[in-house]
Amino acid sequence: MFASLLIANRGEIACRIARTARRLAIRTIAVYSAADAGALHVESCDEAWPIGGADPSESYLNIARIIGAAQQAGAEAIHPGYGFLSENAAFAEACASAGIVFVGPPADAIRAMGSKSAAKVLLEKKGVPLVPGYHGDKQDLNTFAAEAERVGYPVLIKASAGGGGKGMRIVERAADLAAAIAGAKREASKGFADDRLLIEKYLDRPRHIEVQVFADGQGNVVTLFERDCSIQRRHQKVLEEAPAPGMTSDRRHAMGEAAIKVSRAIGYRGAGTVEFIMDRGGTFYFMEMNTRLQVEHPVTEMITGQDLVEWQLRVAAGERLPSAQDQLAITGHAIEVRLYAEDPRSGFLPMTGRIGHFRLPAAGRHVRIDAGVRAGDAIGIHYDPMIAKLIVWDETRDRALRRLVRALNDVQIAGLATNRDFLKALAEHPALAQGEVDTNFIDRHRETLLAQPLPIDNESLTIAALALLLRCEAAADAGAKSSADPHSPWATGRGWRLNDEGHHRVVFRDGETETGVMVHFWRLGHRVELPGATILAQGRLQSDGTLIAALSGHRLQAAVAFEPDAVTVFARGDARRLVVLDPLSLADADEGVDGRLAAPMPGRVVQVLVRPGERVEAGQPLVVLEAMKMEHTIKAPRSGTVATVNYGVGDQVEEGADLAELAEDE
């Protein structure tokens, strides 16, 4: 086994690899970009080396700098994690040239599967079932148009060299093909340095099922069974589970045999995932092979009891597979969800910002947390906005789903928008409980999964007001103790008034609704007057934000996270962020004149589709931004004439920047 390992990645996967390496007494070496100098993965390793700027091309995608860091640190092996250089044959070869072991498959195997098109040509000859489509070398628009007509719309445009939803478009009609191809090529080039595309027939309500394979250098190949990854948004996985719901033993065997056939066809070694798409009749087709560890590998580890990173390290060190096929078995059911900084109700738009409050459920036999951030860390524009993975296990799928709901109830994140509430709605959805999953699940159930929250209840308003005043009281008491007259009634925060009853008015904004709450100081606590109700409240606020309270006799425990102008209340599995308004200045500034097109996030302009003076229709694409490795199209909010275009291709813009403006209609 190696004595030292450099982890050529960041975030939760770098932290996760480091955990296994430490358990195996391997010295761990991190690398970091200029944006990640204080990141958790840097602190999780024995040492760390800088490798360049925040942009991935200057750091995590820079082969020379990573090899240089490995040589300086004396690393015997490099683990690429997933994403970045994990499926880059040139990187595997550079490691070999430098005398460093690449923890992954041979470069030839990466090349064979790195091009989805070439892989399908190879596997078609081996009798592996393929989705009807085009995966040839000709990449001109006329060829794509002819092949799309041959396959029949709708079709799926995919990047030949990558995955993760980048460079992928669903095209419903011929008129949309050219724009879809142009956008897919840009994303593919940016994400994988390769803009080649392929076309597949888009199947109605398919399931995405993948098989985990492992091969060693002695010719042994096994599967560690399947995962269902059908629940997706923007063609990226959101929820994964193992085993797949409704999977029969015969179909599991057939898919496993097909996956092993794929692995043997390319002389594979290490961890790999053979991905299939399955129609409603149970017929499955090969889609692609990911020649790396997958984001969702924890669910396989939970049902098999195996550490797949340890398997990777042992195979890379020349050892045989730790277990034979007949020694592997499925125990129980595991589900993983990905916590993202994003706004599901705005098309899952990625969010940036600093995590002010961060508390996840306690890990144990039934709950696993894979996180790469902590409180105080920032989610920026350069990398994927995933915050953490939450994985649960239990003996049955029903019990695992209940575990998932409970674990999501215990997630507390404040400071930026996340998809926690969406994940909870997903985990509680009856169709998911019944195993009715497919890649269109989210779109089909959009109204229920993305429903607007109910108006905030009086209990949560009371918790917010009580916590605010208790915090103010504690600050006032601390100030009084350090003052020249610590016993002065004027210094107390407990509501003392001369010839008057102490009270305080707090105004909260929840969404578009403003609510005033009057809090009277009472000898046993506070009397809280709300719209239509009065609650007697007592409480104790702990330093970590936990509130122990009694509300008109009802005892409860909640948590409150404070921002300069807002509080977030976590109670009964719900999370509500309330803006605290100054009662003396309730008028909000004008949020912008009609026709203003503001950047919804920081990013880089990759396309400007209009010019000043041009007439546009409502919904027409005007500007394309790239942020967090994905493209986002800014469309006209109404019909009108373009008055100004303020940025050009290549410009970096901040959130809220005025990209363009439509003139007022006369």
Side-chain angles (χ1 to χ4, degrees), residues 12 238-240 295-296 298-299 302 334-340 359-364 366-371 386-393 400 403-413 419-420 423-424 427:
E12 57 86 16
V238 175
L239 179 148
E240 304 100 349
V295 179
E296 58 274 16
V299 294
M302 297 286 269
I335 306 172
E336 173 183 300
V337 292
R338 307 184 190 189
L339 283 162
Y340 282 98
R359 191 180 303 168
L360 298 180
H366 295 93
V367 177
R368 168 174 165 175
I369 305 293
D370 282 12
M386 187 165 69
I387 295 172
K389 298 184 310 197
L390 175 60
I391 310 102
V392 297
W393 175 91
R403 292 271 182 197
L404 178 60
V405 172
R406 175 57 191 263
L408 287 167
N409 284 344
D410 292 341
V411 169
Q412 299 177 12
I413 303 174
N419 66 339
R420 190 212 77 129
L423 292 176
K424 186 182 173 190

Side-chain angles (χ1 to χ4, degrees), residues 441-514:
F441 186 96
I442 292 174
D443 285 338
R444 191 165 60 256
H445 300 292
R446 182 172 295 273
E447 288 189 9
T448 52
L449 293 175
L450 300 174
Q452 292 296 323
L454 296 173
I456 193 165
D457 59 274
N458 282 338
E459 187 173 279
S460 295
L461 285 169
T462 301
I463 290 170
L466 179 62
L468 270 177
L469 294 187
L470 289 173
R471 189 170 186 245
C472 290
E473 289 177 10
D477 288 347
K481 288 178 182 178
S482 61
S483 71
D485 185 5
H487 302 294
S488 168
W490 303 104
T492 182
R494 302 189 185 283
W496 183 85
R497 298 288 187 278
L498 182 63
N499 299 322
D500 192 12
E501 177 193 50
H503 63 274
H504 191 84
R505 185 168 185 263
V506 185
V507 179
F508 295 110
R509 181 196 290 146
D510 178 34
E512 300 299 319
T513 303
E514 294 177 6

Side-chain angles (χ1 to χ4, degrees), residues 129-132 203 205-207 209 251 255 276-286:
L130 304 179
V131 179
L203 301 180
R205 295 183 63 172
R207 289 176 64 180
I209 297 177
R251 188 174 297 128
M255 295 181 90
F276 298 97
I277 193 164
M278 187 172 75
D279 65 22
R280 285 191 277 181
T283 301
F284 61 87
Y285 306 94
F286 170 83

Side-chain angles (χ1 to χ4, degrees), residues 109-420:
I110 296 176
R111 269 196 194 91
M113 291 294 115
S115 167
K116 295 182 177 69
S117 300
K120 291 187 176 185
V121 170
L122 170 66
L123 297 178
E124 194 169 32
K125 298 175 183 176
K126 300 290 184 180
V128 176
L130 304 179
V131 179
Y134 171 72
H135 38 79
D137 293 330
K138 292 184 178 180
Q139 295 284 298
D140 60 284
L141 180 58
N142 288 337
T143 298
F144 281 130
E147 291 297 331
E149 290 291 343
R150 178 183 63 82
V151 171
Y153 288 94
V155 297
L156 188 64
I157 305 293
K158 297 174 70 173
S160 181
K166 300 174 187 65
M168 186 180 292
R169 300 286 193 280
I170 298 172
V171 185
E172 301 279 354
R173 55 189 185 133
D176 299 330
L177 185 66
I181 287 174
K185 277 183 171 290
R186 284 193 303 271
E187 277 187 6
S189 180
K190 178 69 175 178
F192 315 111
D194 185 339
D195 71 352
R196 289 173 299 160
L197 305 175
L198 59 84
I199 291 179
E200 289 179 350
K201 176 67 179 174
Y202 183 71
L203 301 180
D204 179 45
R205 295 183 63 172
R207 289 176 64 180
H208 183 149
I209 297 177
E210 58 189 33
V211 176
Q212 177 71 63
V213 295
F214 240 104
D216 61 23
Q218 289 77 38
N220 301 303
V221 186
V222 301
T223 78
L224 287 91
F225 314 110
E226 81 284 348
R227 301 183 286 256
D228 193 306
C229 306
S230 300
I231 308 294
Q232 303 176 7
R233 57 96 176 94
R234 295 204 315 259
H235 310 295
Q236 290 181 313
K237 301 162 188 173
V238 175
L239 179 148
E240 304 100 349
E241 55 183 313
M247 178 62 71
T248 65
S249 57
D250 288 345
R251 188 174 297 128
R252 176 176 292 125
H253 177 76
M255 295 181 90
E257 287 295 309
I260 289 175
K261 184 184 294 186
V262 172
S263 303
R264 292 195 184 280
I266 59 171
Y268 200 74
R269 186 177 70 246
T273 305
V274 181
E275 304 202 7
F276 298 97
I277 193 164
M278 187 172 75
D279 65 22
R280 285 191 277 181
T283 301
F284 61 87
Y285 306 94
F286 170 83
M287 285 200 304
E288 61 190 24
M289 183 178 188
N290 290 307
T291 53
R292 53 170 167 82
L293 197 67
Q294 291 280 86
V295 179
E296 58 274 16
H297 76 274
V299 294
T300 296
E301 294 183 325
M302 297 286 269
I303 65 164
T304 61
Q306 305 297 323
D307 183 330
L308 299 192
V309 172
E310 179 179 347
W311 278 46
Q312 284 186 295
L313 295 173
R314 293 196 179 282
V315 168
E319 299 181 22
R320 298 175 66 87
L321 291 177
S323 299
Q325 189 70 68
D326 60 4
Q327 295 174 303
L328 297 168
I330 296 173
T331 302
H333 198 94
I335 306 172
E336 173 183 300
V337 292
R338 307 184 190 189
L339 283 162
Y340 282 98
E342 65 182 15
D343 183 358
R345 293 189 184 91
S346 297
F348 297 95
L349 196 68
M351 295 285 105
T352 60
R354 193 165 298 278
I355 302 173
H357 176 86
F358 188 58
R359 191 180 303 168
L360 298 180
R365 176 171 176 255
H366 295 93
V367 177
R368 168 174 165 175
I369 305 293
D370 282 12
V373 298
R374 69 227 137 150
D377 285 351
I379 304 295
I381 65 170
H382 298 288
Y383 312 118
D384 189 271
M386 187 165 69
I387 295 172
K389 298 184 310 197
L390 175 60
I391 310 102
V392 297
W393 175 91
D394 214 315
E395 294 176 359
T396 67
R397 185 173 185 268
D398 287 346
R399 290 168 65 171
L401 280 170
R402 288 199 297 271
R403 292 271 182 197
L404 178 60
V405 172
R406 175 57 191 263
L408 287 167
N409 284 344
D410 292 341
V411 169
Q412 299 177 12
I413 303 174
L416 76 174
T418 76
N419 66 339
R420 190 212 77 129

Side-chain angles (χ1 to χ4, degrees), residues 6 29 31 49 65-78 100:
L6 183 139
I29 304 158
V31 291
W49 295 76
R65 288 180 180 174
I66 292 174
I67 295 294
Q71 291 173 325
Q72 285 183 285
E76 295 180 12
I78 292 180
I100 301 169

